[in-house]
Amino acid sequence: EISCVTGVQTCALPIFTISLLVRNFYPVKADLFKLLPMLCINESSELEPELARDCTVALAYLGGALLSPSVVPTAVESVIEVAINQSWKAKVCVLEFLQVLIFINFAAFVSVPEETERLVSVVLRLLKDPQLEVREKAGKVLGGLLHCGFVSAHQRETLEAEFLADINKKLPKKMKEGADKAEWQAKLTNAVVRRHSGVVGICAVVSSCPYDIPPYLPPLLMVLGDRLHDPQPIPATVKRVLQDFKRTHQDNWIEHKEKFTADQLTMLTDLLVSPSYYA
């Protein structure tokens, strides 16, 4: 039990976790997830590289451990605790951890529907995080959840509508003469983050279909194409997903292109070969 190690130095807890999990073939106990916030916070420690290394190893073992359905709520609570932490590096770390934990214990999570909804909510919250790295990592995790069916088709449609609403919200116009510059800049930054989170969400939907073209995909690609001239980091995100789309679909492109209308195909071709795409 974790209570047995109260008072143990932080640097010893990752090693303690590793010793409990290595060669463990049984579902882990819920108490072990109480260490998750500490592991995620210290995983990127620059002052104590050995502690960071031990935390990384402990997270790898914990993420790959088997969970029983009864442990899932405690695991989700620990993930949420890290997701609301002020450290953006801890948030990125817990997203990495969550990606592994879900796919190792897919059956356990889907057997507790209310907890799967909470996990999706965590990812969506981090999709709107002020830190760019957190938003991008949350997008990758969301793409994986969509691809494996962790998020239902109905949920996907709802999320698409929310992402498109964020994308379509207008950015502040040029600062008026006499206006407070800091206030205007903060407003612009928040608006760009909001739009970028929507773009990352749509990119996650596109990335979740690496080898096929479902009916809802072509219109989303057109939406992304319209965002190439937005403020950074939006164009960089769009270019990256278009590049990945081209790479994963080029082998069967003769078949795939039949899923697009003539206008969509023309626009997509322009997107993939235009100077702005390579800029």
Side-chain angles (χ1 to χ4, degrees), residues 90-235:
K91 295 176 185 177
V92 171
C93 179
V94 82
L95 283 167
E96 291 272 7
F97 172 81
L98 185 60
Q99 199 168 21
V100 176
L101 186 71
I102 288 176
F103 294 123
I104 293 292
N105 296 280
F106 194 91
F109 279 106
V110 297
S111 68
V112 193
E114 60 273 19
E115 298 302 331
T116 65
E117 292 181 6
R118 294 179 73 198
L119 282 180
V120 173
S121 296
V122 169
V123 176
L124 294 177
R125 179 193 303 168
L126 295 178
L127 202 65
K128 297 179 181 292
D129 194 85
Q131 189 70 29
L132 172 62
E133 290 85 350
V134 177
R135 296 197 300 274
E136 290 183 336
K137 185 60 189 177
K140 291 181 179 179
V141 174
L142 179 60
L145 298 181
L146 289 163
H147 178 69
C148 70
F150 195 81
V151 177
S152 69
H154 176 71
Q155 287 177 306
R156 190 209 71 242
E157 293 174 358
T158 302
L159 293 178
E160 281 180 23
E162 294 176 0
F163 297 149
L164 292 174
D166 286 335
I167 291 174
N168 292 327
K169 288 181 180 177
K170 295 182 178 180
L171 300 178
K173 297 180 179 180
K174 292 183 179 180
M175 184 176 62
K176 296 181 180 179
E177 187 175 350
D180 185 277
K181 185 176 181 180
E183 183 179 338
W184 180 85
Q185 187 61 50
K187 186 177 179 181
L188 176 62
T189 299
N190 291 335
V192 171
V193 167
R194 181 181 59 204
R195 180 175 288 185
H196 184 248
S197 70
V199 167
V200 173
I202 294 298
C203 287
V205 177
V206 172
S207 299
S208 69
C209 310
Y211 307 115
D212 61 338
I213 307 287
Y216 58 82
L217 201 62
L220 297 182
L221 289 169
M222 302 302 105
V223 170
L224 293 178
D226 290 337
R227 304 270 69 90
L228 278 171
H229 300 291
D230 281 359
Q232 290 292 357
I234 295 171

Side-chain angles (χ1 to χ4, degrees), residues 8 41 56 60 62 80 84 89 104 140 152-153 158 221 224 231:
V8 176
I41 291 171
T56 300
L62 187 59
I80 292 174
I84 61 177
K89 292 184 178 180
I104 293 292
K140 291 181 179 179
S152 69
T158 302
L221 289 169
L224 293 178

